[in-house]
């Protein structure tokens, strides 16, 4: 009678190709876990500041900053940055050399190098006039789905003192990242270590991050409501200082008016806001900020002009 049901033989059935799973992304650096939430909050302003940026070439640029404040003497900063030809992403260019020197001769500089395709190195130096305050060396390896970092701070072989920090982050899924931080410090007559566990969950419109350890806890929540509105919530608890802080910040963008508004309020009865306004076609950005601490009865306000 043949195949009356019109079915093909078992051997002729098409085989389903195995489903290809996308590789897990790299989790990034440990220091950037709370970056999205922190970018929502305004930076505190006080006094009057003038910043002039000058691009000398495609690799080199400088900036001059003059700051006048009622809390201290007027200051001048010279900022210089060099960026090489090796660009891995819109925000990563190697090698990179950045330096900032003020009118008193204090220097803050860092050097970023790409030693291999996945291996990065960073050196940070900070001086106060003619004295070295900080020298730090970082080595970071970025695998397919993990990041491992080792940092040495103020190593002194003669004085037998060093601060060593180890970071590790692992992507378990496309949304979940887990890892930890180990801080070890040693000096004559003192030695100790602090372990901190970290986790980050990224959804489509929000990101939740938590760091918890013997030194305290740091939690943040970032939410992007739409293209104009972003909000962030931070919670920090320090067991050594016996202090707990809760902060709420928001970021409002008005593209039609070329304006950005940032504000915050925290559990220490402090409120603040910064308004930034671009002045096209001129390469000028104006910023006005005010911060009021009801608990300490302090008020700070600032105004800045950025050219370039």
């Amino acid at each position: 009678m043949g195949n009356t049901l019109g079915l093909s033989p078992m051997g002729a059935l098409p085989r389903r190709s195995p489903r290809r799973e996308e590789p897990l992304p790299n989790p990034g650096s440990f220091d950037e876990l709370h970056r999205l939430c922190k970018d929502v909050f305004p930076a505190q302003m006080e006094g009057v500041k003038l910043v002039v940026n000058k691009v000398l070439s495609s690799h080199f640029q400088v900036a001059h900053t003059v700051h006048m404040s009622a809390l201290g003497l007027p200051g001048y900063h010279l900022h210089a940055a060099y960026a090489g030809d090796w660009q891995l992403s819109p925000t990563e260019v190697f090698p990179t050399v950045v330096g900032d020197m003020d009118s008193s001769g204090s220097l803050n500089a860092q050097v970023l190098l790409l030693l291999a395709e996945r291996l990065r190195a960073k050196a940070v130096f900070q001086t106060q006039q003619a004295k070295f305050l900080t020298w730090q060396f970082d080595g970071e390896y970025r695998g397919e789905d993990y990041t491992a970092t080792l940092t040495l701070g103020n190593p002194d072989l003669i004085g037998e003192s060093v601060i060593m920090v180890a970071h590790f982050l692992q992507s378990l899924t496309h949304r979940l990242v887990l890892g930890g931080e180990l801080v070890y410090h040693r000096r004559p007559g003192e030695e100790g270590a602090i372990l901190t566990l970290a986790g980050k969950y990224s959804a489509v419109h929000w990101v939740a991050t938590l760091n918890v350890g013997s030194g305290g806890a740091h939690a943040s929540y970032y939410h992007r409501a739409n293209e104009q509105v972003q909000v962030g919530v931070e919670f920090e608890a320090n067991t050594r200082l016996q202090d707990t802080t809760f902060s709420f910040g928001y970021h409002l963008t008005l593209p039609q008016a070329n304006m950005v508004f940032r504000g915050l309020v925290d559990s220490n009865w402090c409120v603040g806001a910064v308004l930034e306004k671009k002045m096209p076609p001129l390469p000028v950005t104006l910023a006005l900020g005010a911060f009021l601490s009801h608990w300490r009865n302090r008020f700070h306000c600032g105004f800045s002009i950025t050219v370039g």
Side-chain angles (χ1 to χ4, degrees):
M1 296 179 59
N3 191 1
T4 58
L5 298 179
L7 299 177
S8 302
M10 292 298 297
L13 290 177
R15 295 183 179 180
R16 294 184 178 180
S17 59
R19 183 179 179 182
R20 296 182 179 180
E21 296 184 358
E22 296 181 1
L24 296 178
N26 182 273
S29 299
F30 192 91
D31 297 334
E32 298 179 351
L33 286 176
H34 300 271
R35 182 180 57 85
L36 285 177
C37 183
K38 288 185 176 296
D39 289 344
V40 173
F41 290 80
Q44 187 165 349
M45 299 177 59
E46 199 281 328
V48 180
K49 181 184 294 185
L50 172 63
V51 182
V52 179
N53 297 316
K54 179 64 176 179
V55 178
L56 301 180
S57 67
S58 59
H59 300 284
F60 192 70
Q61 65 179 12
V62 296
H64 305 273
T65 303
V66 179
H67 186 204
M68 294 178 290
S69 172
L71 301 180
L73 297 176
Y76 167 78
H77 284 260
L78 173 62
H79 179 87
Y82 170 82
D85 296 320
W86 201 336
Q87 184 170 0
L88 295 184
S89 67
T91 58
E92 288 185 314
V93 181
F94 297 94
T96 299
V97 182
V98 180
D100 184 277
M101 178 176 288
D102 61 15
S103 54
S104 66
S106 300
L107 174 67
N108 191 346
Q110 64 178 5
V111 181
L112 302 176
L113 298 174
L114 187 66
L115 303 181
E117 183 181 359
R118 300 183 180 276
L119 184 60
R120 295 164 169 81
K122 180 174 69 172
V124 179
F125 304 94
Q126 184 178 4
T127 67
Q128 185 175 8
Q129 297 181 354
K131 297 181 179 180
F132 269 97
L133 291 182
T134 303
W135 52 98
Q136 176 180 309
F137 305 95
D138 297 5
E140 181 181 85
Y141 183 84
R142 295 196 177 188
E144 291 289 344
D145 56 0
Y146 68 92
T147 300
T149 307
L150 180 64
T151 301
L152 295 178
N154 292 2
D156 186 0
L157 299 179
I158 299 178
E160 297 183 353
S161 64
V162 67
I163 299 176
M164 184 177 67
V165 182
H167 295 147
F168 183 80
L169 288 178
Q170 174 70 55
S171 295
L172 298 184
T173 67
H174 289 275
R175 298 181 182 270
L176 181 61
V177 174
L178 296 180
E181 175 189 62
L182 177 62
V183 179
Y184 170 81
H185 69 276
R186 175 185 174 84
R187 65 181 65 178
E190 183 180 354
E191 184 178 13
I194 299 177
L195 176 64
T196 302
L197 301 179
K200 176 181 177 181
Y201 187 86
S202 302
V204 178
H205 299 291
W206 58 271
V207 177
T209 309
L210 173 64
N211 294 11
V212 60
S214 56
H218 182 194
S220 68
Y221 175 80
Y222 165 83
H223 190 96
R224 187 181 187 91
N226 49 50
E227 294 296 329
Q228 287 77 36
V229 180
Q230 305 172 53
V231 296
V233 179
E234 267 195 317
F235 171 81
E236 293 186 79
N238 192 312
T239 57
R240 183 176 63 88
L241 301 178
Q242 298 294 317
D243 181 55
T244 302
T245 304
F246 176 83
S247 306
F248 171 79
Y250 56 94
H251 180 285
L252 177 62
T253 304
L254 301 175
Q256 297 83 0
N258 295 313
M259 295 175 56
V260 175
F261 186 81
R262 293 182 174 91
L264 71 86
V265 57
D266 61 22
S267 57
N268 293 325
W269 298 91
C270 178
V271 294
V274 172
L275 176 65
E276 297 180 5
K277 168 69 175 179
K278 294 184 178 181
M279 308 292 292
L282 299 177
V284 177
T285 301
L286 305 180
L288 178 64
F291 296 84
L292 174 62
S293 176
H294 294 84
W295 187 265
R296 299 180 180 179
N297 196 21
R298 293 180 180 178
F299 175 75
H300 299 288
C301 64
F303 177 75
S304 70
I305 302 176
T306 303
V307 181

